[in-house]
Amino acid sequence: MEYISTRGGMPPLRFSDILLGGLAPDGGLVMPASIPQIDNDTLQGWRGLSYAQLAFEVLSRYCDDIPADDLKRLVEETYTAETFGTRAITPLTELEAASAERGSLLVQHLSNGPTLAFKDMAMQLLGRLFEYTLLKQDRWLNIVGATSGDTGSAAEYAMRGRQRLRVFMLSPAGRMSAFQRAQMFSLMDDNIHNIAIEGVFDDCQDLVKALASDLPFKKRHHIGSVNSINWARVVAQVVYYFRGYLQATAAHPIDANGRPAQVSFTVPSGNFGNVLAGHIARRMGLPIRRLVVATNENDVLDEFFRTGRYRVRSARETHATSSPSMDISKASNFERFVFDLLDGDAEHLKALWQQLGQTGEFDLSGTDAFARAAQWGFVSGSSSHADRLQTIRKWHDDRGVLVDTHTADGLKVAQQYREPGIPMICLETALPAKFAESIVEATGQRQPVPEALADLEHRVQRYVRMPADAALLKAYVAART
């Protein structure tokens, strides 16, 4: 398997060459030169596999320069009941059974890892892949990342104490929940550095890109990334789409027309990495009917899928909401998707991104590229704070199931796109305990946190506060590497 850049300026490289790098040298994002195909016989043969075995089958098609025995060991060490609380790893809960009018509605639980968020699904593997590769290559890596909430803690818990790794994590000051903030800032490991940036998430993301695009600085200080711009994050998330499909269709693998059963997925979306993984799974051959992109009040992605216009919002226009991990107006992984929409035309993509930098928007409405998004099953919708509270309250009262605010965004939007005979799987993004204020507002009850984290918000916190200034950030990183 070889990898190329969305902007066409990188020679083909192997997985181990691109794992540690983040952005491609030309400023683009790394993509596989081709997508491996899975036929139905192979897919049906995966039904009896454990999650770790399924992960090996998917990942080995993208990481073929890692010896098979080593990759098997890494995934088996990652996807354990001890780490994720259940042998199923990503169990499904049916919220509503199928009827004549619409298919069943299910939640796929992805938040049983150590930081109670779906980011653990990829990040726990990434920590092992990084350490394995760095030791093999006798190298150090300094990870500079940005988080709007859950990525930071998932990365830090996956990387803490690992050999040859340091983490510098940027977050928007005052814009995460108290629980999210405490998860990150209470870590005291020597290789973990938390930086609260005076601004919004997009400012943090821009700083990460500024360091990644300064190639001499990046090389001198061995800068890498764990944000969803890192391809390994995306491909690790592809696995749970296959898992969800196999679980949801176990009783009826063939539809009424004798074809492989289809499912739809609804994905709460901010940076577009999670739903991009679903797109990759569909391109591999997974029978996905629809990929539903659910946003909150920050509806840049919803606007694109409705109209074809991609319009980045300013920091002033980016709302602070009760689903803060989605308070994003520049979706980093969207470049990968547009590259696919343009059928791999790097020159066209570069022109669009140049226009985006100059005007803050581009418009694909009326083009074959935008039509292709609908052909691939993409639809979208948005949700408000009132919608979130109503959705949380409904499923708590009706089914005794409590969901977090981001998953509530997904469940609200999912209702618009349920179809007869097609199960709708909503991806859970975090446990509700991470967003206690909204849960209390919706239900009048405080959700208990796991015992090991009961005192989290009372622990000593360590971080530095910094203006959104690339020169200051470079100086801070350089002094510690």
Side-chain angles (χ1 to χ4, degrees):
M1 170 64 70
E2 291 186 328
Y3 291 86
I4 57 175
S5 169
T6 53
R7 302 191 189 180
M10 183 183 82
L13 296 173
R14 304 296 297 279
F15 179 81
S16 295
D17 299 318
I18 60 98
L19 170 65
L20 305 177
L23 285 176
D26 62 356
L29 298 184
V30 170
M31 282 283 282
S34 61
I35 302 294
Q37 298 299 295
I38 305 299
D39 62 31
N40 187 54
D41 288 344
T42 300
L43 179 61
Q44 301 307 324
W46 287 352
R47 287 194 176 275
L49 300 183
S50 68
Y51 193 94
Q53 290 169 330
L54 179 62
F56 172 76
E57 292 296 335
V58 174
L59 293 168
S60 62
R61 288 160 165 81
Y62 291 92
C63 318
D64 56 359
D65 57 338
I66 296 179
D69 288 346
D70 289 350
L71 184 60
K72 281 182 181 177
R73 174 178 57 81
L74 291 169
V75 297
E76 286 170 357
E77 289 173 353
T78 300
Y79 298 112
T80 66
E82 291 72 26
T83 299
F84 290 95
T86 168
R87 290 179 61 191
I89 308 298
T90 62
L92 292 183
T93 294
E94 185 179 78
L95 293 183
E96 195 167 82
S99 66
E101 292 77 28
R102 52 191 186 176
S104 57
L105 177 64
L106 308 104
V107 171
Q108 186 173 10
H109 298 281
L110 305 178
S111 303
N112 295 314
T115 71
L116 319 183
F118 83 96
K119 307 292 178 71
D120 290 325
M121 294 300 304
M123 210 68 81
Q124 285 291 308
L125 177 62
L126 201 60
R128 287 177 170 81
L129 284 171
F130 276 178
E131 186 177 54
Y132 168 85
T133 303
L134 290 167
L135 290 172
K136 281 265 188 182
Q137 298 179 2
D138 191 21
R139 295 173 56 189
W140 272 86
L141 183 68
N142 295 302
I143 294 164
V144 180
T147 184
S148 56
D150 293 326
T151 293
S153 55
E156 291 179 354
Y157 275 70
M159 309 296 165
R160 62 187 302 198
R162 293 208 174 273
Q163 300 178 69
R164 308 296 183 93
L165 282 165
R166 300 184 190 92
V167 178
F168 298 84
M169 189 58 61
L170 283 59
S171 59
R175 282 184 171 250
M176 296 188 295
S177 75
F179 190 97
Q180 288 175 313
R181 191 162 52 246
Q183 271 192 314
M184 293 171 55
F185 295 174
S186 64
L187 291 181
M188 299 294 164
D189 303 74
D190 290 340
N191 69 328
I192 302 298
H193 304 273
N194 280 299
I195 306 165
I197 297 295
E198 295 167 359
V200 298
F201 170 74
D202 294 317
D203 296 315
C204 302
Q205 191 162 253
D206 287 344
L207 288 169
V208 171
K209 290 182 177 180
L211 266 63
S213 8
D214 183 342
L215 297 184
F217 183 88
K218 180 180 179 181
K219 183 176 181 180
R220 185 164 62 250
H221 295 285
H222 312 290
I223 303 297
S225 172
V226 290
N227 279 56
S228 56
I229 59 174
N230 187 299
W231 171 254
R233 278 271 310 275
V234 176
V235 75
Q237 292 172 223
V238 169
V239 177
Y240 52 68
Y241 283 88
F242 279 90
R243 182 68 161 184
Y245 171 86
L246 292 170
Q247 290 171 297
T249 60
H252 303 286
I254 303 298
D255 69 16
N257 299 312
R259 295 174 299 202
Q262 289 184 307
V263 303
S264 292
F265 287 91
T266 296
V267 189
S269 299
N271 238 347
F272 206 76
N274 202 5
V275 73
L276 178 75
H279 169 63
I280 298 299
R282 186 185 182 281
R283 283 197 59 196
M284 290 177 70
L286 191 65
I288 296 176
R289 162 76 175 158
R290 280 178 166 168
L291 284 166
V292 183
V293 177
T295 72
N296 60 17
E297 293 90 333
N298 297 295
D299 59 353
V300 174
L301 293 170
D302 178 40
E303 181 179 30
F304 174 80
F305 285 106
R306 285 187 293 103
T307 70
R309 184 187 184 199
Y310 183 64
R311 181 174 61 90
V312 170
R313 312 295 197 261
S314 67
R316 188 175 59 256
E317 296 173 295
T318 302
H319 305 285
T321 77
S322 53
S323 48
S325 298
M326 292 157 57
D327 293 349
I328 296 170
S329 75
K330 299 175 186 175
S332 283
N333 268 287
F334 196 59
E335 180 170 334
R336 284 185 167 116
F337 181 65
V338 175
F339 180 73
D340 257 5
L341 288 181
L342 299 175
D343 201 23
D345 186 339
E347 291 303 314
H348 192 175
L349 183 131
K350 281 195 295 185
L352 287 178
W353 252 251
Q354 184 177 20
Q355 180 183 339
L356 186 65
Q358 293 170 346
T359 68
E361 64 179 270
F362 60 77
D363 193 342
L364 293 179
S365 60
T367 66
D368 290 342
F370 183 57
R372 192 170 291 130
Q375 292 164 8
W376 286 340
F378 275 87
V379 291
S380 67
S382 64
S383 177
S384 68
H385 179 66
D387 293 328
R388 286 187 281 281
L389 297 183
Q390 183 180 11
T391 300
I392 292 168
R393 190 178 303 116
K394 170 184 169 54
W395 294 115
H396 179 257
D397 292 348
D398 291 358
R399 294 281 286 112
V401 174
L402 199 58
V403 298
D404 80 292
T405 48
H406 308 74
T407 308
D409 286 327
L411 287 169
K412 184 266 182 182
V413 175
Q415 298 284 20
Q416 303 171 41
Y417 296 108
R418 292 171 65 186
E419 300 174 277
I422 309 291
M424 174 66 79
I425 303 172
C426 182
L427 299 190
E428 178 197 57
T429 65
L431 293 191
K434 299 190 79 167
F435 305 95
E437 290 182 5
S438 295
I439 299 303
V440 171
E441 188 177 358
T443 67
Q445 300 176 24
R446 182 169 291 274
Q447 174 72 1
V449 300
E451 185 177 346
L453 298 173
D455 67 339
L456 181 68
E457 294 182 37
H458 301 289
R459 296 176 190 174
V460 174
Q461 298 184 13
R462 183 186 69 182
Y463 66 99
V464 298
R465 189 171 176 124
M466 187 182 296
D469 185 310
L472 288 176
L473 179 61
K474 287 179 182 179
Y476 183 87
V477 171
R480 290 158 181 80
T481 59

